[in-house]
């Protein structure tokens, strides 16, 4: 398992008392797997990504990434936030190489890798433009390339498509899926969209309401070899959708 959580609890100290965010959370993710996390709003999904990223510590239990206990952020993990968070005053090149600069890895070899990614994913001719000159979908691809530039093994994606309109969201999520597969990364995607999770993942972990615990895990055996867009029309789609829909009912 490239990511492993063993009985993880997270409790925040808030001014008016304690807030339990994660409770008895245990699961593993295999190398190369694409796993989605779905759960009710405010249940603890971002907290879960934060403990895996090493930016939030556990109150109990352990998190392992690539065999090591997580105690601090590591360059094995790449994080892609909800908004692309590209700097408007930097060019596309300036943005995609930002992580390399921050990690003091801005070497000719790394820059060549980034140039290769930009070419492969249709952004090479835009490197001198600024983010406002790009479409929402291109910006999202740019944000992913920035994340891939430092060559992390694991990508944590926190609702990365939520700012996009529906049509763009479908095509960009398919693009991002293809890039992640081609680059042989492990991905953990947080989303509140069940259809999106079914169209992109190998497995879906359903969380309970706060404090989040694992409510169910679904392995999408019938869809794994099928690209995202085709999954939505596949007969097995509904078979996975209905139980997850019921599990997410906060009244149950
Ligand atoms: P989700 O991503 O599922 O919407 P979060 O992980 O962001 O949920 O939050 C889970 C709960 O923990 C929420 O009630 C939120 O208000 C609380 N929370 C998150 N971060 C902090 C923090 N740093 N301090 C106190 N409470 C927090």
């Amino acid at each position: 398992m490239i990511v492993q959580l063993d009985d993880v609890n997270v409790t925040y100290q808030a001014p008016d008392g304690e807030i339990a965010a994660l409770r008895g959370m245990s699961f593993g993710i295999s190398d190369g797997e694409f796993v989605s996390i779905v759960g009710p709003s405010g249940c603890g999904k971002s907290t879960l990504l934060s403990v895996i990223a090493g930016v939030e510590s556990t109150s109990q239990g352990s998190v392992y990434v690539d065999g090591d206990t997580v105690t601090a952020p590591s360059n094995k993990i790449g994080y892609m936030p909800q908004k692309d968070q590209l700097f408007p005053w930097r060019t596309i090149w300036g943005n995609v190489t930002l992580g390399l600069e921050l990690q003091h890895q801005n070497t000719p070899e790394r820059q060549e890798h980034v140039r290769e990614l930009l070419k492969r994913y249709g952004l090479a001719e835009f490197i001198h433009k600024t983010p406002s000159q790009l479409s929402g979908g291109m910006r999202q691809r740019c944000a992913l390339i920035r994340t891939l530039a430092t060559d992390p093994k694991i990508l944590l994606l926190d609702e990365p498509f939520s700012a996009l309109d529906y049509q763009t969201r479908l095509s960009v999520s398919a693009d991002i899926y293809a890039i992640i597969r081609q680059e042989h990364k492990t991905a953990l995607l947080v989303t509140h969209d069940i259809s999106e999770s079914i169209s992109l993942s190998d497995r879906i972990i359903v969380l309970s309401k706060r404090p989040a615990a694992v409510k169910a895990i679904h392995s999408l055996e019938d869809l794994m070899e099928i690209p995202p867009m085709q999954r939505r029309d596949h007969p097995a789609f509904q078979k996975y959708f209905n139980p997850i829909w019921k599990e997410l009912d906060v009244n149950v």
Side-chain angles (χ1 to χ4, degrees):
M1 292 290 162
I2 194 159
V3 177
Q4 180 73 48
L5 278 80
D6 280 343
D7 200 20
V8 169
N9 285 10
V10 172
T11 303
Y12 292 112
Q13 307 299 330
D16 46 354
E18 294 189 332
I19 298 174
L22 304 183
R23 174 170 46 104
M25 185 81 71
S26 298
F27 64 84
I29 302 175
S30 312
D31 198 5
E33 223 186 348
F34 199 126
V35 174
S36 287
I37 301 282
V38 295
S41 167
C43 77
K45 299 183 293 297
S46 299
T47 302
L48 176 60
L49 293 191
S50 301
V51 291
I52 297 171
V55 294
E56 192 67 63
S57 39
T58 63
S59 313
Q60 183 199 302
S62 301
V63 181
Y64 304 93
V65 165
D66 207 17
D68 297 325
T69 308
V70 174
T71 51
S74 111
N75 55 14
K76 289 181 181 167
I77 302 251
Y79 174 72
M80 190 164 156
Q82 280 186 17
K83 299 234 172 70
D84 56 49
Q85 289 180 3
L86 299 173
F87 288 116
W89 61 87
R90 282 193 154 219
T91 62
I92 295 310
W93 178 255
N95 270 286
V96 292
T97 54
L98 181 64
L100 294 180
E101 280 176 34
L102 294 176
Q103 293 190 10
H104 307 293
Q105 294 183 31
N106 211 358
T107 60
E109 295 77 33
R110 290 282 187 184
Q111 290 189 7
E112 192 46 43
H113 176 225
V114 173
R115 242 179 236 115
E116 193 52 46
L117 290 170
L118 288 165
K119 209 185 313 165
R120 214 179 301 160
Y121 303 117
L123 290 169
E125 59 203 271
F126 300 95
I127 57 171
H128 302 301
K129 306 260 187 224
T130 55
S132 66
Q133 295 173 291
L134 265 57
S135 69
M138 290 165 87
R139 292 171 60 120
Q140 220 47 24
R141 265 185 284 150
C142 183
L144 181 63
I145 290 171
R146 179 186 53 191
T147 311
L148 292 172
T150 54
D151 206 19
K153 289 187 156 191
I154 302 150
L155 299 172
L156 303 179
L157 313 163
D158 194 354
E159 304 225 21
F161 315 119
S162 59
L164 303 171
D165 66 75
Y166 183 70
Q167 282 304 327
T168 311
R169 188 177 174 131
L170 289 186
S171 67
V172 171
S173 60
D175 276 356
I176 300 275
Y177 168 92
I179 297 172
I180 290 171
R181 289 294 193 208
Q182 277 170 39
E183 302 301 319
H184 305 290
K185 301 297 177 191
T186 304
L188 184 60
L189 167 76
V190 162
T191 176
H192 61 263
D193 183 335
I194 304 174
S195 300
E196 184 170 278
S197 70
I198 298 174
S199 68
L200 297 174
S201 338
D202 300 318
R203 273 193 305 148
I204 298 174
I205 300 178
V206 183
L207 301 184
S208 69
K209 61 186 176 192
R210 192 178 67 75
V214 175
K215 195 164 189 180
I217 299 183
H218 300 267
S219 189
L220 309 185
E221 309 287 350
D222 298 353
L223 297 175
M224 279 177 195
E225 305 303 323
I226 299 170
M229 293 289 212
Q230 277 121 282
R231 291 192 192 190
R232 291 177 186 257
D233 300 322
H234 193 280
F237 191 89
Q238 214 58 34
K239 173 179 114 181
Y240 295 117
F241 188 95
N242 293 339
I244 298 174
W245 175 260
K246 289 203 187 100
E247 284 153 9
L248 281 180
D249 183 345
V250 288
N251 299 312
V252 177

